[in-house]
Amino acid sequence: MMDQEVLSVFAKRLFDGEQWLTNQQVIWKGQMIESVKSAAMPLNGEMEIFDVLAPGFIDVHVNGGGGALFNHTPTIETLARMVAVHAQFGTVAMMPTLISDDYEIMSQAHHAVCQALEQTMAGILGMHYEGPYLNPIRKGVHNESKLRKPTEGKLATLLEVSRSGKLMVTLAPEQVPEGFIEWLVSQGVIVCIGHSAASYDQARRAVESGARGFTHLFNAMTPLVSREPGVVGAALQTDKPTWCGLIADGHHVHPASMRVAVAAKGCEHMLLVTDAIQSVGSEAKEMPFLGKKVLRSEGKVTTEDGTLAGSDLDMATAVRNTINLIGRTSTEALQMASLRPAEFLGIDQEFGRIKAGYRASIVALNTDFFVTATWIDGQKVWG
């Protein structure tokens, strides 16, 4: 076996996942970081020098990129395309997301992800089924004809991803039978509540049954109002460890609502997600989307009737928006993009920090938090 190459880079400022350090040299061998240490500014040509290094971003909700939508072409080639495109924006690991679809498409997507995991494709952690067990009342852009209740015996075969990777399922708790959430959790599934018309009590029971995520907080769920806290009210509770996905694009959620939610829940249980479709990394202004036409304009993507159809957001922009729109610190924003998703997925012993023994999955940024380079498992894939 060939010796693995030892690589090193220098950061004027380094965020290690917990604290900021200055003038740091990061050394890795193969996929893993060997050391992080203080060092003098290197001479020109000795090693690459970056303004900022931070743990690479983890996106648990991403539907496509670079002109490819996972639902349209649920193949390993699409997964590779998504990883390559989103690496430009600092994403080092993702949960490719399949929007509610027919069993045949779900099966093809499942096969593609299992194939990627078997090949240990860098950047693919598992998959996220967003549906089809959703409430038509809160369907959003999902095709109502694809929504259904979990009565089919075929479901178990789609859960094999959880044997070798991470598996998320977004569902409406009021649409599934009693005991279903507990069963999914027993199969290694991370259950998230979304596209739901559940009451506060129904959502709380789902959490007590093992659900621990809320998909795109505020969107496609019952709101928090005076006498019925709804799904949003359940999401913002802090007595049980749950996490909320936040699409910080300024279109899905008003900045004031985001500020209130983060203040209530705490940054440590907020995840920045993109919900990106194929527009990210593409120049197209119009594109097909699940049998409809989607229009891209001013940072958002909508159907012709104005319904939001996923997003045109990338993770680096989400980080900048968290700082500039929500008023959180760079520490909090970077953690919401890396360490918090890693904790949510249970992979924070590998991802979310730049420390010895962690994966060399790192993003380099300029002082305005635009991406200048990305490494996934020690390999430079952008910049």
Side-chain angles (χ1 to χ4, degrees), residues 107-126:
S107 182
Q108 290 172 16
H110 164 262
H111 176 73
V113 170
C114 286
Q115 189 180 356
L117 292 171
E118 187 177 322
Q119 297 176 10
T120 60
M121 178 187 283
I124 299 297
L125 297 173

Side-chain angles (χ1 to χ4, degrees), residues 173 198-208 228-231 234:
S199 67
Y200 171 78
D201 289 337
Q202 286 174 315
R204 287 287 290 175
R205 282 197 295 274
V207 170
E208 288 161 5
E228 173 45 62
V231 174

